[in-house]
Amino acid sequence: MKPGFPHSRLLARLDRIVAFNDADRDGISALPMTLRNFPAEHEIVAQGARLNKCCMVVDGFLYRHKPGDGAQRQIVSFHVPGDIPDLYSLHINPMDHHISTLGPAVVAFIPHHPFREMLARSPRLTDIFWRETLVDASLFREWVVNIGTRDALARIAHLLCEMEMRLEVVGLAPNLTFSFPASQTHIADACGISAIHANRMIQELRSRRLIEWEGKTIRILDRDRLAEIADFDPAYLHLRDRAVVS
Amino acid sequence: MKPGFPHSRLLARLDRIVAFNDADRDGISALPMTLRNFPAEHEIVAQGARLNKCCMVVDGFLYRHKPGDGAQRQIVSFHVPGDIPDLYSLHINPMDHHISTLGPAVVAFIPHHPFREMLARSPRLTDIFWRETLVDASLFREWVVNIGTRDALARIAHLLCEMEMRLEVVGLAPNLTFSFPASQTHIADACGISAIHANRMIQELRSRRLIEWEGKTIRILDRDRLAEIADFDPAYLHLRDRAVVS
DNA sequence: CGCGGTCTTGACAGACATCAATTTCAGTGG
DNA sequence: CCACTGAAATTGATGTCTGTCAAGACCGCG
């Protein structure tokens, strides 16, 4: 079976995380997927919803967020192509957060029913997707550490290190350069700081010649020093091979 | 098959979350478990370790923590009887955080091999334990929100609301009163604030007559007002029936 | 060319961290 | 039975990181 474009995204993604075989490939390739385009800042899934399908990022970025106390909100994760941010909806209802597009994005919807059938047929695929949700959880733990222990500058630096590495895995960060259509307000909401302070810290990173950030394009100039400031250790990403050469 | 004491802890726990049948029960009851006692503040699992067994809390509390920047550390979760804090080690290695006892605790170890065999035999149990890890992840998301958006007073209030409700589920918080052998430093490390400030905020909660906290015993005096301060919505706990009467 | 969102800058206030010292108290030993 | 001891809790003073308010600059888009 010839996998379609969205399927290959998912396959490429999983391939970088675990080793799997042709049977796994065929199972995934047989999943029905419906592609849809969404404009920037568009809510794909609402908190409280009961879903009958999952969404996979094909192109662009999604982010998950929860309303915080009062007017505040907290972004709890960003998602890159290949991610399935609501994979957990297979087993948990209702959704405990929103999912929105960051910039314009292409999303593939996978109905729960055939997804569950595929998993029921293959304990191996079950393990693979279970593992995906576990890595997801590991990122949340690191975000707790990020927001709980680091100052604003390090929080932003850490976020950038994480995004660069996750995008590199799916081939979207050549030369430490990548597209990231987040406003400074998004960064602030993700790091638990004010937008104004986020602005100042980003300027600080720029003036230290650690990053370039113009429009929606980020370029990391000195990954080692950025990682040092961020106290960044990629172990929590649980990538298959962490031998990332610079 | 007659389940032993540790097994019944696990069964009771799962029973409050999902509905399951006798076959499930038998499968769980057949799991080999080795009981061990640990003193307070004892490391059960180290970051970086590759495990061949999971640990279930039988009595007392465990907590998971990661070293933060410099001398700081971040507690990312507390665990009550019935929890399996390193369930994810079935699919992910190495551990990305430490697990320690809070006070003295009794822990049951379950070897990975029979655990995996049980799951391989029962897609239903696989779903149940997968779901457990998904709820775990949901708590992390809420912790991100807690630390990222709320002030110190609300963070502590939120933590107390969460602990009370989770303990109530396993029958360990009668009359809104429960044992919790955490020092103020633990609270501080969990909420991302300094121990001194944690002390002042706890005093504030006491003086407002919201809680009593003497030694290792906490009593919630006014859950409604505490939940209001904490902006606490138990939906993220994904309990089966959330009809908790006061 | 004008509008609105985003970014930027400055001044000021406040929540919280840090430093230092004292009190409490459970556990220990004489 | 009662000092002794070290950890935990508490209190006070001071500094700072970060939030808030206000206003202006920049820029993409219609």
Side-chain angles (χ1 to χ4, degrees), chain A residues 183-184 199-200 203 206:
Chain A
S183 70
Q184 294 183 351
N199 174 280
R200 294 192 164 112
Q203 289 179 54
R206 278 200 278 247

Side-chain angles (χ1 to χ4, degrees), chain B residues 24-44:
Chain B
D24 301 334
R25 251 170 248 279
D26 291 345
I28 290 172
S29 300
L31 278 179
M33 293 191 186
T34 309
L35 284 179
R36 277 192 68 185
N37 288 287
F38 291 100
E41 208 59 58
H42 184 270
E43 184 170 283
I44 307 263

Side-chain angles (χ1 to χ4, degrees), chain B residues 44-64:
Chain B
I44 307 263
V45 174
Q47 189 175 28
R50 293 175 178 278
L51 305 184
N52 54 17
K53 56 183 187 292
C54 294
C55 66
M56 185 189 76
V57 187
V58 176
D59 201 45
F61 295 83
L62 301 187
Y63 67 97
R64 300 198 256 178

